[in-house]
Amino acid sequence: MTIGAAAAQAAPTPDPNVSRIDTIIHDNKQQVTAIVYSAAMRKMIPITVLRPRDASKPRPTFYLLNGAGGGEDSATWAAKTDYVKFFADKNVNVVTPIGGAFSYYTDWQRDDPVLGRNKWQTFLTKELPPLIDKEFDTTKVNAIAGISMAGTSVLNLAIAAPHLYKSVAAYSGCARTSDPVGQAYIRMVVADRGQGSLDNMWGPVGGAGWRQNDPFVNAAKLRSTKVYMTTGTGLPGPYDRPEARLIQGNPLTLANQVVLGGIIEAAVNQCTQQMAQRMRSLRVPMTMLSRPNGTHSWEYWESDLRRTWPKIAADLTPKAPAKKVAAVAGR
């Protein structure tokens, strides 16, 4: 037996029932890509990690999810925004999975012939965080945010793991999944765009699985998490003009953003307003940022990230204990 054959024989076979970071790719000084094996989904998932400006001591983690395309298309934080530059001077790990298109980042009840096996809630709340914490020496203090489809997902993730995230931000996400408007929106994403089966996701539409995954129904379970929600009205705003950065004078792009993006955001606004009212009635703390205009599009979400970041950053930073003042004799 040759030395090479002996080494190969001695190499242990990874346990398929144990999640792990398989490979770390150093993309540049700021970003690495971790290839993570998910035991729940039995596949490798690329995870981009923006590293903190100063990594000399443990830093918190901000999980930032893409929308319906799951980062598998060109509609991503990396491609549509300057989030890399924005976080370049921040002391935080920014973690974004690449995958999960049209999955709602949830645990599906059954494997789907088109969309495969989706156990994203298990992956994001149980498998991935301890791997990130160990590999990148974090403080184990987390927050999470997502846009559009993931704006619903992040609320459900916070409900499923009530002590995992200090705060959650939903940018233009519909917080209702068991009412007709919310179901129509999910059908558009999962069935129409993704060609997946709604029954495979949460069971029959309107059934128990849909109510169990409805942030509106389960809003009281968000008491332990700070919640930020943002929405526009669907009316054209400052980023719905020919000169906007992502329009670049293209009339078809502009028309699609104004018409389709306007209709979607108007529906999302209705969901968000209802969620805010529900949380107020339950006395669950939340912050809602409403814009008087704005469509369902990236420049608004980038603006929402910038507006909410100071609050999220404060949530991620442990408060120093108050100093005890020594009693003065005679007082």
Side-chain angles (χ1 to χ4, degrees):
M1 182 181 293
T2 65
I3 295 176
Q9 187 177 16
T13 301
D15 186 342
N17 297 311
V18 178
S19 300
R20 67 184 186 276
I21 293 180
D22 186 80
T23 308
I24 295 287
I25 302 168
H26 294 270
D27 303 316
N28 52 53
K29 184 178 179 181
Q30 184 185 0
Q31 178 177 303
V32 303
T33 298
I35 309 300
V36 179
Y37 171 74
S38 166
M41 290 188 277
R42 292 292 197 269
K43 65 181 179 181
M44 298 289 184
I45 301 169
I47 309 289
T48 62
V49 183
L50 301 184
R51 299 289 285 131
R53 174 187 58 186
D54 178 6
S56 64
K57 61 181 181 179
R59 299 297 183 184
T61 303
F62 180 47
Y63 290 86
L64 183 61
L65 305 186
N66 287 298
E72 300 175 37
D73 55 9
S74 61
T76 67
W77 284 102
K80 296 295 185 181
T81 77
D82 69 348
Y83 96 119
V84 173
K85 181 179 179 181
F86 176 73
F87 283 108
D89 63 349
K90 310 294 189 295
N91 283 318
V92 65
N93 298 285
V94 182
V95 175
T96 302
I98 307 302
F102 315 115
S103 70
Y104 264 82
Y105 288 115
T106 190
D107 281 2
W108 285 44
Q109 292 184 2
R110 291 178 293 275
D111 293 354
D112 188 82
V114 177
L115 299 179
R117 176 170 296 178
N118 289 293
K119 297 292 181 183
W120 286 95
Q121 186 177 100
T122 294
F123 178 70
L124 290 169
T125 63
K126 296 179 180 179
E127 296 181 325
L128 184 60
L131 296 175
I132 294 293
D133 291 341
K134 182 178 179 180
E135 180 68 30
F136 299 104
D137 187 28
T138 78
T139 61
K140 300 182 181 179
V141 178
N142 310 301
I144 190 168
I147 62 159
S148 190
M149 175 190 84
T152 305
S153 307
V154 293
L155 295 172
N156 275 329
L157 292 168
I159 290 168
H163 302 293
L164 181 59
Y165 311 108
K166 290 292 185 180
S167 58
V168 54
Y171 306 136
S172 294
C174 183
R176 303 199 69 172
T177 66
S178 60
D179 82 318
V181 173
Q183 289 168 1
Y185 184 66
I186 294 171
R187 184 182 301 278
M188 179 184 67
V189 172
V190 177
D192 297 343
R193 293 183 60 188
Q195 298 299 301
S197 167
L198 295 178
D199 286 353
N200 286 336
M201 186 168 74
W202 291 329
V205 176
W210 289 71
R211 292 189 294 276
Q212 290 166 5
N213 288 279
D214 190 333
F216 181 88
V217 172
N218 298 292
K221 296 179 181 179
L222 288 165
R223 290 187 190 280
S224 62
T225 309
K226 291 189 177 180
V227 177
Y228 308 105
M229 298 184 295
T230 69
T231 180
T233 61
L235 296 173
Y239 302 124
D240 305 300
R241 298 172 180 171
E243 64 273 17
R245 178 174 60 85
L246 295 180
I247 300 297
Q248 298 182 335
N250 187 316
L252 293 179
T253 302
L254 177 60
N256 181 69
Q257 184 165 302
V258 169
V259 177
L260 181 59
I263 292 172
I264 293 174
E265 192 69 9
V268 164
N269 183 50
Q270 179 181 338
C271 295
T272 305
Q273 297 290 346
Q274 290 171 349
M275 182 64 169
Q277 184 177 358
R278 165 85 166 158
M279 295 182 76
R280 291 189 194 104
S281 69
L282 293 171
R283 299 185 183 274
V284 177
M286 63 87 199
T287 298
M288 188 177 75
L289 301 177
S290 298
R291 290 180 259 103
N293 50 44
T295 58
H296 203 69
S297 48
W298 275 99
E299 286 192 273
Y300 294 104
W301 301 328
E302 182 175 12
S303 175
D304 291 342
L305 172 62
R306 290 175 175 272
R307 287 199 300 166
T308 55
W309 177 249
K311 293 181 181 293
I312 296 170
D315 299 334
L316 289 169
T317 305
K319 293 180 174 61
K323 294 182 179 179
K324 294 182 179 180
V325 179
V328 179
R331 292 189 181 179

